[in-house]
């Protein structure tokens, strides 16, 4: 009788322990365990992160981090952390959260506009993905990569077309660069290649000219006409005489660092640089800034006309006046220069 009572007690205790364990497991796995008010939050796990790194991010987001720890150990997540961007929804259970951060790496939108240099582009991308700016710059300027894909230092920036792209946040610097090369190749359709060939210009030369067109005007409707002017000059062997290339050349000199050239003067036109299109025939060695796709297509689909000159329009700032003769151009230029002087702009 005594032994039966002991056995019964043991069974009851066992059942109680089992019930408690089942309750604990159910709570750890299937009870909501979020502590944020928004519908979702994103968790960013860098390459090389361990469980403690993940835990630090999750702790302020969860009601019971210890319960999460217990299940993470049980499901062996603590030794199987994966990098990426993961979304946690309000009301998720620990089981849901672990499944999400284990499997559901969610892409992001990476966006960049008209960056002036490849260094600035690397910095712009570094704030959007896990790769840092130094790694990005190294990948984007890798000489072997550039040579294998028909680029050089002066034209490397031209591979990156300003737009929004869907990538994984944990993309490496090389993965980002390779994706942009893929997008660049996709941009150069057979139709665009045929138009470039008809102009007797390479893809990099089209990009270089587009960068000048874009720096001259941000008005997409006017860009084809400006492109037509420069192509007319190239056709007759006339220097491009593009002021944006003069500014680009000047800003590379210590004398003009931390300055803004609002008015291109004769002294600027004497700068010794391959980018000085007042003294050098043809296109510069590379692009002077990242052009919009609109400017690239403006060159490929340029307006056919007989204009050889243009100058900013003092009455419609942002637009230009075009001329077929030098005399007409000089008259237009005097009006604009008088406007600059009236505004106190002399350099």
């Amino acid at each position: 009788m005594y032994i039966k009572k002991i056995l019964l007690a043991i069974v009851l205790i066992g059942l109680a322990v089992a019930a408690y364990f089942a309750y604990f497991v159910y709570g750890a796995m299937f009870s909501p365990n979020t502590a944020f008010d928004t519908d979702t939050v994103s968790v960013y796990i860098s390459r090389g992160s361990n469980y403690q790194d993940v835990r630090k991010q999750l702790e302020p987001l969860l009601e019971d981090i210890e319960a999460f720890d217990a299940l993470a150990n049980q499901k062996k997540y603590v030794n199987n952390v994966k990098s990426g961007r993961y979304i946690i929804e309000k009301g998720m259970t620990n089981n849901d959260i672990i499944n999400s951060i284990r499997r559901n790496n969610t892409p992001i939108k990476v966006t960049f506009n008209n960056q002036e240099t490849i260094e600035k582009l690397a910095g712009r991308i570094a704030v959007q993905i896990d790769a840092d700016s130094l790694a990005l710059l190294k990948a984007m300027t890798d000489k072997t990569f550039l040579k294998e894909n028909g680029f050089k230092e002066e034209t490397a920036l031209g591979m990156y077309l300003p737009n929004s792209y869907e990538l994984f946040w944990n993309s490496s610097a090389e993965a980002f660069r390779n994706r942009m090369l893929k997008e660049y190749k996709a941009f150069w359709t057979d139709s665009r290649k045929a138009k470039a060939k008809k102009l007797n210009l390479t893809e990099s030369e089209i990009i270089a000219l587009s960068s000048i067109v874009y720096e001259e005007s941000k008005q997409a409707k006017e860009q084809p006409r400006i492109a037509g002017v420069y192509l007319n000059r190239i056709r007759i062997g006339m220097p491009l005489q593009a002021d944006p290339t003069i500014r680009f050349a000047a800003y590379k000199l210590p004398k003009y660092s931390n300055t803004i050239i609002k008015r291109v003067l004769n002294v600027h036109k004497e700068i010794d640089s391959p980018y000085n299109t007042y003294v050098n025939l043809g296109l510069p060695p590379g692009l002077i800034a990242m052009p919009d796709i609109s400017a690239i297509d403006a060159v490929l689909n340029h307006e056919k006309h007989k204009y050889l000159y243009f100058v900013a329009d003092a009455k419609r700032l942002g637009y230009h006046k075009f001329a077929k003769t030098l005399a007409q151009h000089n008259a237009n230029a005097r009006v604009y220069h008088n406007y600059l002087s009236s505004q106190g702009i002399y350099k």
Side-chain angles (χ1 to χ4, degrees):
M1 188 71 177
Y2 181 71
I3 294 175
K4 288 183 178 180
K5 288 183 177 180
I6 293 175
L7 291 175
L8 180 59
I10 291 172
V11 170
L12 292 174
I13 292 171
L15 290 172
V17 170
Y20 176 79
F21 181 74
Y23 174 80
F24 175 79
V25 169
Y26 180 87
M29 291 187 67
F30 303 116
S31 294
N33 191 27
T34 56
F36 49 86
D37 295 325
T38 55
D39 291 335
T40 63
V41 295
S42 294
V43 175
Y44 296 88
I45 303 175
S46 297
R47 291 183 301 276
S49 294
N50 58 31
Y51 179 69
Q52 290 304 314
D53 297 321
V54 178
R55 192 182 191 277
K56 287 178 182 177
Q57 283 201 66
L58 292 178
E59 188 167 7
L61 303 177
L62 305 184
E63 292 283 357
D64 187 348
I65 191 64
E66 285 77 16
F68 182 84
D69 289 336
L71 191 60
N73 273 288
Q74 184 181 344
K75 298 192 73 169
K76 296 182 172 56
Y77 174 75
V78 293
N79 296 318
N80 193 27
V81 171
K82 295 181 180 179
S83 63
R85 174 203 179 220
Y86 302 96
I87 295 175
I88 300 176
E89 298 177 5
K90 184 178 181 180
M92 269 188 169
T93 66
N94 288 327
N95 195 56
D96 294 333
I97 295 168
I98 291 173
N99 288 341
S100 180
I101 63 178
R102 173 179 276 166
R103 304 169 187 165
N104 299 332
N105 190 8
T106 306
I108 61 170
K109 287 286 187 182
V110 174
T111 303
F112 58 91
N113 52 10
N114 311 84
Q115 304 300 305
E116 296 174 355
T117 66
I118 206 158
E119 289 82 5
K120 289 184 178 180
L121 174 60
R124 175 78 179 104
I125 301 305
V127 300
Q128 299 181 72
I129 66 175
D130 193 26
D132 63 44
S133 58
L134 290 178
L136 285 161
L137 184 59
K138 181 180 179 181
M140 290 189 287
T141 57
D142 180 79
K143 292 182 179 179
T144 301
F145 170 84
L146 293 177
K147 185 176 181 180
E148 287 177 349
N149 292 285
F151 295 96
K152 52 187 178 179
E153 182 181 349
E154 295 84 359
T155 61
L157 183 63
M159 192 186 87
Y160 302 88
L161 303 174
N163 212 330
S164 292
Y165 302 94
E166 192 173 84
L167 286 93
F168 286 111
W169 176 79
N170 58 322
S171 297
S172 67
E174 291 77 14
F176 168 76
R177 176 200 66 190
N178 295 343
R179 170 64 183 282
M180 292 301 100
L181 175 62
K182 182 179 179 180
E183 295 289 344
Y184 177 85
K185 289 180 176 180
F187 172 80
W188 282 101
T189 60
D190 290 342
S191 175
R192 286 190 173 106
K193 287 180 179 179
K195 291 173 181 177
K197 186 176 182 180
K198 190 174 181 180
L199 292 173
N200 199 28
L201 296 175
T202 66
E203 293 172 10
S204 289
E205 288 173 333
I206 293 290
I207 298 288
L209 181 54
S210 302
S211 71
I212 296 173
V213 170
Y214 182 75
E215 289 300 296
E216 289 282 17
S217 176
K218 304 300 187 291
Q219 305 295 335
K221 291 183 179 180
E222 195 181 60
Q223 288 170 353
R225 178 167 290 188
I226 292 175
V229 170
Y230 284 127
L231 288 167
N232 285 345
R233 291 179 181 180
I234 291 173
R235 179 174 51 81
I236 66 174
M238 175 181 174
L240 292 183
Q241 298 179 337
D243 286 358
T245 66
I246 298 298
R247 293 188 180 93
F248 180 84
Y251 293 147
K252 285 184 171 291
L253 302 175
K255 179 180 178 181
Y256 295 102
S257 63
N258 301 317
T259 64
I260 297 176
I261 299 173
K262 295 182 178 180
R263 190 169 184 170
V264 172
L265 306 173
N266 288 333
V267 66
H268 300 133
K269 298 174 184 178
E270 296 171 358
I271 293 173
D272 183 13
S273 167
Y275 288 89
N276 185 339
T277 56
Y278 274 84
V279 298
N280 298 300
L281 283 175
L283 291 161
L287 65 167
I288 59 173
M290 183 186 289
D292 259 2
I293 290 174
S294 67
I296 302 172
D297 282 335
V299 173
L300 295 172
N301 303 284
H302 61 282
E303 184 179 315
K304 295 180 180 179
H305 53 62
K306 295 184 179 180
Y307 294 123
L308 286 174
Y309 307 95
F310 65 95
V311 66
D313 189 341
K315 294 183 179 179
R316 297 176 66 223
L317 295 179
Y319 291 85
H320 295 79
K321 286 186 175 180
F322 295 81
K324 297 176 182 177
T325 67
L326 182 59
Q328 184 182 4
H329 170 68
N330 286 339
N332 292 338
R334 277 193 296 272
V335 173
Y336 183 64
H337 291 155
N338 288 337
Y339 164 77
L340 292 178
S341 298
S342 71
Q343 300 298 308
I345 300 172
Y346 298 102
K347 60 180 181 179

